[in-house]
Amino acid sequence: MEWIIFFNFTQKTHIMLKKNIESALNKQIRIEAESSQTYLSMACWAEVHGLEGIAQFMYTQSDEERAHMLKLVKYVNERGGHATITDLKAPKTSYTTFKEMFEALYSHEIFVSESINELVHITFEEKDYATHNFLQWYVSEQIEEEATAKSILDKINLIGDDKGGLYLFDRDIQQLTVTSSIAINPK
Ligand SMILES: [Fe+2]
Ligand SMILES: [Fe+2]
């Protein structure tokens, strides 16, 4: 009988996740995983084209997205839900130009922000303020990621077709990687 007493002691007292919140969070887990794969694929494309700085930046982005995914996974499991790991949509493997690749990164981040907003909206409707609060980190993170992607695109537009400019850009983006690594905040 002792184990029953033990079980009662360890039973979580907080409110469990509602099913629709759990599935919305699982959807986001998949999006973060797909983002990680997309940036990993971009890193590979850049690396085989000799763009080492850009490749390093993309590898770091990929790691960050995995950290975003894990933070959600742990939250779902800790709240009495079940984080489900699924198959993923295969990312694009090649790009015509590095500019096209960064445009894809920027529009992907906008898509992720919209998805986070939708998720926040659901938590509000369901009065799940704990999840609502948890998601605020993602809201700020998306503002930052969109801003970074936008400023990179602005720089690329300034460079245009200048090869020397691309060389400097590839070198400078490594510095940006160092800065964004500090910003990673996995739980
Ligand atoms: Fe993310
Ligand atoms: Fe992102």
Side-chain angles (χ1 to χ4, degrees), residues 32 35 39 61 65 68 109 112 142 145:
E32 299 295 342
S35 304
Y39 299 156
Q61 291 302 117
E65 299 302 347
H68 297 171
E109 287 301 330
V112 174
Q142 280 313 117
E145 296 214 353

Side-chain angles (χ1 to χ4, degrees), residues 128-144:
D128 183 344
Y129 299 115
T131 306
H132 189 82
N133 188 40
F134 166 77
L135 289 172
Q136 295 314 304
W137 183 85
Y138 287 84
V139 172
S140 341
E141 180 69 10
Q142 280 313 117
I143 292 170
E144 217 174 276

Side-chain angles (χ1 to χ4, degrees), residues 66-133:
R66 183 173 160 80
H68 297 171
M69 178 200 71
L70 283 175
K71 206 175 160 83
L72 282 160
V73 163
K74 287 180 181 166
Y75 179 78
V76 170
N77 293 340
E78 278 167 13
R79 287 286 314 276
H82 183 179
T84 49
I85 308 305
T86 66
D87 59 342
L88 306 172
K89 199 173 99 192
K92 193 173 155 148
T93 53
S94 87
Y95 295 87
T96 317
T97 60
F98 77 104
K99 182 183 170 181
E100 185 202 323
M101 189 175 76
F102 277 101
E103 279 167 350
L105 178 134
Y106 182 49
S107 50
H108 186 74
E109 287 301 330
I110 291 171
F111 159 74
V112 174
S113 297
E114 283 165 359
S115 172
I116 294 285
N117 280 347
E118 185 53 35
L119 194 50
V120 170
H121 180 69
I122 297 167
T123 60
F124 197 72
E125 275 186 338
E126 292 293 338
K127 298 191 173 73
D128 183 344
Y129 299 115
T131 306
H132 189 82
N133 188 40

Side-chain angles (χ1 to χ4, degrees), residues 138-169:
Y138 287 84
V139 172
S140 341
E141 180 69 10
Q142 280 313 117
I143 292 170
E144 217 174 276
E145 296 214 353
E146 269 190 48
T148 304
K150 181 71 173 62
S151 74
I152 291 171
L153 265 187
D154 289 345
K155 282 194 180 71
I156 292 170
N157 284 324
L158 278 174
I159 297 164
D161 295 327
D162 182 46
K163 291 262 186 243
L166 172 59
Y167 175 79
L168 292 175
F169 172 79

